[in-house]
Amino acid sequence: MNCEVCQLKELEVESFEIREVLRCILHTIVFHRALGLIRPKDIDLELFEITYVQCGEIEVEKKIDDKIEQFITWIDKHPNKKSQICLSFYEVKTKQPSWFTNKIERLYWEQWYINLNVLQPTKPPTGKSNHSKLVMDPGEESEERSSRRTLLEQSLQEVLFQIIKFVNDKKDHVPPINDGVIYCPFEVTFPSSSDSTFGMDMIKRMLHSGGHPSMLS
């Protein structure tokens, strides 16, 4: 089975923006790959003038929120690093067990790579004066942050359009879903300990799914 891959545009975010950005992107992808009868729910972002749609499934919301919290914890322990989150859709196949394979295996048919460059929080300027006060323009930092936030909002909108375009252009590889299934099985992964470990995990998935090497590009 070939595995289609979408590399999303890299976003520069501060740590407090990660949660909203990832919720928006992950839910948008899962919603557009939902195949059953769902209850769409519009969500307005608090930090940006953007509205996205969730499937309205509690299990999906919890699964995504749990993974986001795990990712944020990892980011706190690995600052100043560009990070990549992978959302993978798969189908479960049962096969004859052997020495080298399990009876149940996951065949990955689509992967989305979310690329984040997490910026360090802006530190307040330091300096000395006769009254031990900092000499600074009180509007300078807020103006800079506002400008950066505007650029991030535009980039996030571009990512959402990129998702919609990919979903509309790539349909032939989507496997048939059984009746009663609301959304495709998926998993969210990220570097749990090191970049090399994450890379090995991707290679293992490629070998198990029989995907084309391009899925690692």
Side-chain angles (χ1 to χ4, degrees):
M1 173 184 290
N2 289 328
C3 182
E4 293 286 349
V5 175
C6 182
Q7 287 276 4
L8 296 175
K9 175 182 178 179
E10 182 179 277
L11 300 175
E12 288 192 346
V13 300
E14 291 189 52
S15 56
F16 71 93
E17 297 167 327
I18 293 175
R19 188 173 285 102
E20 276 213 326
V21 167
L22 286 182
R23 278 178 180 165
C24 178
I25 295 174
L26 291 171
H27 277 290
T28 298
I29 295 171
V30 173
F31 171 76
H32 282 286
R33 280 303 185 214
L35 300 177
L37 184 62
I38 60 175
R39 301 181 298 274
K41 182 168 66 173
D42 290 343
I43 303 295
D44 297 323
L45 295 182
E46 295 181 4
L47 299 176
F48 311 97
E49 294 294 326
I50 292 177
T51 299
Y52 68 95
V53 182
Q54 293 184 359
C55 289
E57 292 293 318
I58 296 178
E59 290 183 2
V60 173
E61 293 181 27
K62 185 179 185 306
K63 184 173 183 177
I64 289 178
D65 281 346
D66 287 347
K67 282 298 181 179
I68 291 175
E69 295 308 316
Q70 292 174 24
F71 177 73
I72 291 175
T73 300
W74 183 86
I75 284 292
D76 291 339
K77 297 178 181 179
H78 301 80
N80 300 322
K81 291 189 70 174
K82 291 189 176 184
S83 304
Q84 190 175 71
I85 303 95
C86 180
L87 169 61
S88 303
F89 290 104
Y90 62 88
E91 60 177 333
V92 178
K93 292 290 186 181
T94 302
K95 60 184 301 183
Q96 289 291 335
S98 67
W99 289 104
F100 303 104
T101 60
N102 296 323
K103 188 175 181 181
I104 304 297
E105 67 174 350
R106 293 181 175 182
L107 299 179
Y108 295 87
W109 52 268
E110 187 171 274
Q111 291 182 317
W112 300 77
Y113 287 94
I114 304 168
N115 301 290
L116 299 182
N117 182 15
V118 182
L119 305 175
Q120 283 292 92
T122 304
K123 295 182 179 180
T126 58
K128 295 181 179 180
S129 69
N130 294 334
H131 301 286
S132 299
K133 292 183 179 179
L134 299 177
V135 180
M136 61 177 290
D137 179 357
E140 182 177 352
E141 182 178 354
S142 60
E143 182 178 347
E144 179 181 349
R145 173 166 285 181
S146 176
S147 176
R148 192 197 62 77
R149 182 79 56 78
T150 299
L151 291 176
L152 175 56
E153 181 174 309
Q154 294 173 351
S155 295
L156 182 54
Q157 289 174 332
E158 291 176 10
V159 167
L160 297 182
F161 285 127
Q162 186 181 355
I163 293 171
I164 294 172
K165 185 178 187 304
F166 185 90
V167 168
N168 289 334
D169 291 346
K170 304 286 186 177
K171 298 178 181 179
D172 294 341
H173 66 291
V174 180
I177 303 297
N178 296 329
D179 293 338
V181 175
I182 298 176
Y183 58 90
C184 302
F186 70 91
E187 66 179 18
V188 180
T189 55
F190 54 88
S192 57
S193 57
S194 69
D195 291 340
S196 59
T197 301
F198 184 59
M200 288 302 298
D201 288 343
M202 292 297 101
I203 292 175
K204 290 177 181 177
R205 290 194 185 94
M206 180 189 72
L207 294 176
H208 285 307
S209 66
H212 191 274
S214 63
M215 65 186 289
L216 298 178
S217 62

